[in-house]
Amino acid sequence: MTKFSTFAVLAATLSFAMPVIAQAAPTAAQQDRLVQKINNAYGTQFPVHPHAVNAATSSHQTQAGA
């Protein structure tokens, strides 16, 4: 019975922890925006996905105008 209770507690803990862990992990879009900011700041040419470049550029222009 102790093996089953240990397994049940572990399964319950993981079921509650997984959504928190999933939210904490950076997405590809967040990483692309960060890389684009680095490219803009230091003049580097690290590759990013095209959709992230447009989002990072537009947010950078918005911040510069404010």
Side-chain angles (χ1 to χ4, degrees):
M1 187 70 176
T2 59
K3 287 182 182 180
F4 178 74
S5 356
T6 303
F7 177 75
V9 169
L10 180 62
T13 303
L14 287 176
S15 68
F16 287 116
M18 288 306 288
V20 175
I21 293 169
Q23 285 181 336
T27 63
Q30 290 172 330
Q31 183 174 355
D32 284 343
R33 284 193 297 269
L34 177 61
V35 170
Q36 186 58 40
K37 287 180 182 181
I38 292 170
N39 285 343
N40 291 342
Y42 296 104
T44 56
Q45 295 296 319
F46 295 112
V48 293
H49 296 99
H51 64 83
V53 172
N54 295 336
T57 303
S58 64
S59 68
H60 181 68
Q61 290 171 348
T62 304
Q63 291 173 356

